[in-house]
Amino acid sequence: GAVVSQHPSWVICKSGTSVKIECRSLDFQATTMFWYRQFPKQSLMLMATSNEGSKATYEQGVEKDKFLINHASLTLSTLTVTSAHPEDSSFYICSAREQGGLFFGSGTQLSVL
Amino acid sequence: SQKIEQNSEALNIQEGKTATLTCNYTNYSPAYLQWYRQDPGRGPVFLLLIRENEKEKRKERLKVTFDTTLKQSLFHITASQPADSATYLCALDADNTDKLIFGTGTRLQVFP
């Protein structure tokens, strides 16, 4: 199946700093990528749809100025958590659609101190 | 309101038995439904997709059914093994968009 690479796997940062998470489709081109957030023992919640060459589409309740998404190429989307706070600590997962289905990165565990 | 419900309680079964997991949805009209496996600290892994006009789909020891009248999908693992222990998520497209909405998942534990 298709491979989606996500980096870093985990990050610890101080409150107020910004964190960038990268999502790459390794063996296919993805005009659309999706960013999810998952709290412990909860479902994946869709945050935004990342569109190559255009603005991301955010789900209701997700602050676009806090979660900056850039999809500058057909194989790379980035999510930047700006001015992170402890409540932003979560598991962030990206995904991209390829013919057979939706393929996910391995996730990024963000811990904000 | 729209909901996707999976049994939040863990399912514990003995090795060799068939595991059956349930996914019910409300106020959606999905064109397809998908099942994923998620291990702790990892992203979900795609298992099966079943379309609204398909009643059943199989892949090796996995079987999925889709009843659009009952608004329910069942996910079966036959001859279960301890390696099948994981959380299983169902997901459906939100009103024929490209967005997938996930259920909360059911944790399966297969013991020897």
Side-chain angles (χ1 to χ4, degrees):
Chain A
V3 179
V4 175
S5 174
Q6 188 172 339
H7 179 80
S9 299
W10 57 270
V11 59
I12 301 173
C13 68
K14 291 182 179 179
S15 185
T17 60
S18 294
V19 175
K20 180 186 282 188
I21 303 170
E22 292 188 348
C23 181
R24 296 179 184 273
S25 56
L26 295 186
D27 49 0
F28 65 102
Q29 293 183 331
T31 55
T32 303
M33 291 185 177
F34 303 92
W35 286 95
Y36 288 83
R37 180 168 53 182
Q38 186 177 33
F39 291 106
K41 297 187 178 180
Q42 293 190 23
S43 182
L44 281 78
M45 297 300 295
L46 180 65
M47 297 174 66
T49 302
S50 171
N51 304 298
E52 188 268 333
S54 64
K55 291 182 179 180
T57 306
Y58 290 83
E59 294 301 301
Q60 192 173 11
V62 178
E63 299 174 57
K64 61 181 180 181
D65 293 331
K66 180 166 187 63
F67 299 99
L68 300 179
I69 291 173
N70 184 282
H71 195 155
S73 77
L74 288 171
T75 58
L76 174 63
S77 174
T78 61
L79 168 69
T80 300
V81 183
T82 61
S83 187
H85 290 285
E87 58 265 30
D88 299 323
S89 298
S90 185
F91 191 54
Y92 293 86
I93 313 173
C94 70
S95 66
R97 186 173 297 283
E98 210 266 341
Q99 291 180 8
L102 196 64
F103 293 88
F104 286 82
S106 54
T108 298
Q109 182 64 50
L110 171 63
S111 297
V112 184
L113 304 177
Chain B
S1 62
Q2 294 177 312
K3 285 190 293 187
I4 306 173
E5 294 178 304
Q6 294 183 255
N7 192 341
S8 57
E9 293 183 13
L11 177 63
N12 298 307
I13 65 166
Q14 193 171 20
E15 182 177 11
K17 302 289 186 183
T18 297
T20 298
L21 287 70
T22 305
C23 176
N24 295 294
Y25 59 91
T26 308
N27 292 327
Y28 282 108
S29 298
Y32 57 84
L33 190 144
Q34 302 187 33
W35 284 88
Y36 288 80
R37 169 185 173 138
Q38 186 176 25
D39 292 286
R42 308 291 295 177
V45 174
F46 171 71
L47 296 176
L48 280 169
L49 178 151
I50 185 166
R51 302 188 186 281
E52 60 178 338
N53 60 349
E54 298 175 313
K55 295 293 185 185
E56 181 180 297
K57 202 135 187 205
R58 292 175 185 261
K59 179 183 176 183
E60 297 173 353
R61 295 185 293 111
L62 309 180
K63 185 178 85 171
V64 171
T65 63
F66 192 10
D67 189 325
T68 55
T69 302
L70 290 178
K71 297 187 182 295
Q72 180 182 78
S73 175
L74 298 178
F75 176 80
H76 306 271
I77 305 176
T78 58
S80 58
Q81 305 165 0
D84 295 327
S85 299
T87 295
Y88 291 86
L89 306 164
C90 71
L92 49 80
D93 63 306
D95 301 322
N96 296 317
T97 66
D98 220 14
K99 299 187 289 190
L100 271 189
I101 307 299
F102 283 83
T104 51
T106 297
R107 185 167 180 275
L108 172 67
Q109 185 73 37
V110 181
F111 56 91

